[in-house]
Amino acid sequence: MAVFNHALFPGEYLAEKFPSLRFLPSWFPGAKFKRKSKVWVSAVHRLRDVPWERTVAKIRGGTAIPSIATSLMKDVPDVKSGEVTEEEVAAKKVTATAYAAGADTTLSTMQSFFLAMASNPDAQRKAQAELDAVVGRQRLPTFADRESLPYVCALISECLRWRPVAPLGFPHRSTEDDCFRGYFIPKGTVTIANVWAYSRDTRYYPDPEAFSPERFLKDGKPNPDVLDPAAFVFGYGRRICPGRHFADASLFMLTATVLHTLTISAPLDAHGHPVKLEGKMTAGVISYPEPFEADIKSRGSWAEALVRESCSAVNV
Ligand code: HEM
């Protein structure tokens, strides 16, 4: 993931501007990018191959737990034979792409969620009260509860807005001359969307630095007049994030389950007061909260029992 974060940063290497430089031999002075890319390519290939090979071995041995890989492998003819088919190669690349593009982006949002909960006990209490009323203490939340959990959904939208995962989107190069609002954009221009600025647009988000799920609600229901951060944090147009629905589902399930079963709080200082968390983010195409401390406690023996029960159901 560090390789992606570095390689996607625009303007770092001259070869981006002059693609013919890629034909330079790696020992050539200034061709450091070639020496680096050799190491990077092997890291990326390991990411693609190692988890796949482990999972396929488990599928062949009949011990794999359900996953994208097991679903895709159902369509691969004669999986037990050990012969690598074209379908398997495609399935391997799909899972690697989903993992590479989906894991750290979702992780960064979840880290921001923990940061937000540790810094905003009121929002956390309201979400937990909603979960207690709708889900109760006999079971974990499911997707069927989603419609009845507007505060939890607003809280997720606020996490996406408050700390956008890709604050400058992903760089794009224009493929032809263009004109936008009187600005001429020549073919080949690298354009960067200021997602961070959109997330701070006070027309939609007054007091933008505050973490406030309420801004997405009106009379306890989703407010259609407030711009949904999903409209910009996942990019736009043809290259919009194809995993956004997957991310949306994962974030709901993770957030609702964590809020239902755990309480997150800031650590206490020597006087017993909660420490104010700075909430700084790292630089890079994908941005993460800088490491911070938080106390994470079970909401009770009922919560622990529910989590253990659900883990044993999928054999983990
Ligand atoms: C909170 C979670 C996520 C965020 C914020 C996010 C955000 C983004 C953004 C900003 C882009 C670039 C769009 C552009 O080029 O303008 C992107 C691309 C992409 N995302 Fe996501 N993403 C998330 C989760 C996921 C997940 C879970 C998957 C897969 C399961 C995924 C798969 C992809 C892929 C394959 C691309 C490249 C698409 C292309 O270049 O055509 N993403 N994502």
Side-chain angles (χ1 to χ4, degrees), residues 105-111 113 143 146 152 156-157 159-160 165 234 244-258:
T105 42
T106 310
L107 172 77
S108 161
T109 311
M110 284 311 290
Q111 289 174 337
F113 159 76
F143 288 115
R146 197 170 173 158
V152 172
I156 297 169
S157 296
C159 290
L160 288 168
V165 172
F234 293 111
R244 62 197 184 284
H245 305 295
F246 190 107
D248 184 56
S250 310
L251 290 175
F252 171 75
M253 197 39 79
L254 288 164
T255 312
T257 307
V258 168

Side-chain angles (χ1 to χ4, degrees), residues 145-301:
D145 297 314
R146 197 170 173 158
E147 295 256 302
S148 317
L149 296 168
Y151 194 86
V152 172
C153 294
L155 189 145
I156 297 169
S157 296
E158 182 64 340
C159 290
L160 288 168
R161 181 205 69 84
W162 187 59
R163 292 291 186 268
V165 172
L168 294 177
F170 279 31
H172 288 271
R173 193 187 297 276
S174 58
T175 51
E176 49 192 69
D177 285 354
D178 201 358
C179 207
F180 183 72
R181 292 195 182 159
Y183 290 92
F184 175 60
I185 303 169
K187 176 178 173 176
T189 304
V190 174
T191 52
I192 295 173
N194 195 346
V195 171
W196 181 260
Y198 306 153
S199 74
R200 263 73 194 144
D201 187 336
T202 47
R203 283 176 303 169
Y204 301 106
Y205 314 122
D207 192 9
E209 294 310 321
F211 183 88
S212 168
E214 285 79 4
R215 64 172 88 247
F216 294 104
L217 298 170
K218 194 175 178 182
D219 305 325
K221 296 205 173 80
N223 183 353
D225 299 332
V226 180
L227 180 65
D228 180 353
F232 54 83
V233 297
F234 293 111
Y236 338 77
R238 283 193 299 174
R239 300 299 291 270
I240 192 169
C241 172
R244 62 197 184 284
H245 305 295
F246 190 107
D248 184 56
S250 310
L251 290 175
F252 171 75
M253 197 39 79
L254 288 164
T255 312
T257 307
V258 168
L259 284 167
H260 196 48
T261 54
L262 304 170
T263 292
I264 304 145
S265 46
L268 302 180
D269 65 16
H271 307 288
H273 301 132
V275 173
K276 190 170 167 14
L277 300 172
E278 282 195 65
K280 283 195 187 155
M281 300 293 283
T282 61
V285 174
I286 298 183
S287 173
Y288 311 79
E290 285 186 359
F292 61 95
E293 282 186 36
D295 279 344
I296 302 173
K297 292 199 176 78
S298 159
R299 289 189 72 208
S301 51

Side-chain angles (χ1 to χ4, degrees), residues 20-156:
S20 54
L21 289 180
R22 71 187 186 280
F23 298 116
L24 286 177
S26 45
W27 49 262
F28 203 79
K32 202 170 161 195
F33 70 96
K34 281 214 105 166
R35 295 190 286 281
K36 278 189 180 174
S37 70
K38 219 177 193 168
V39 180
W40 289 355
V41 164
S42 107
V44 171
H45 285 176
R46 278 203 309 280
L47 181 148
R48 183 192 65 190
D49 299 337
V50 174
W52 178 260
E53 278 153 17
R54 277 189 203 153
T55 307
V56 168
K58 285 188 180 168
I59 294 174
R60 294 204 165 107
T63 57
I65 58 169
S67 66
I68 297 183
T70 55
S71 304
L72 291 173
M73 285 298 276
K74 277 193 192 115
D75 299 333
V76 172
D78 203 11
V79 70
K80 298 254 185 235
S81 76
E83 193 193 320
V84 178
T85 59
E86 203 181 317
E87 288 88 345
E88 180 176 335
V89 174
K92 171 161 89 168
K93 290 182 179 172
V94 166
T95 43
T97 306
Y99 182 75
D104 263 28
T105 42
T106 310
L107 172 77
S108 161
T109 311
M110 284 311 290
Q111 289 174 337
S112 298
F113 159 76
F114 275 84
L115 177 66
M117 294 303 92
S119 326
N120 299 275
D122 276 355
Q124 179 169 227
R125 263 194 296 275
K126 284 183 197 165
Q128 288 174 332
E130 187 178 67
L131 283 156
D132 286 346
V134 172
V135 179
R137 298 192 164 183
Q138 307 298 322
R139 62 177 181 89
L140 291 175
T142 69
F143 288 115
D145 297 314
R146 197 170 173 158
E147 295 256 302
S148 317
L149 296 168
Y151 194 86
V152 172
C153 294
L155 189 145
I156 297 169

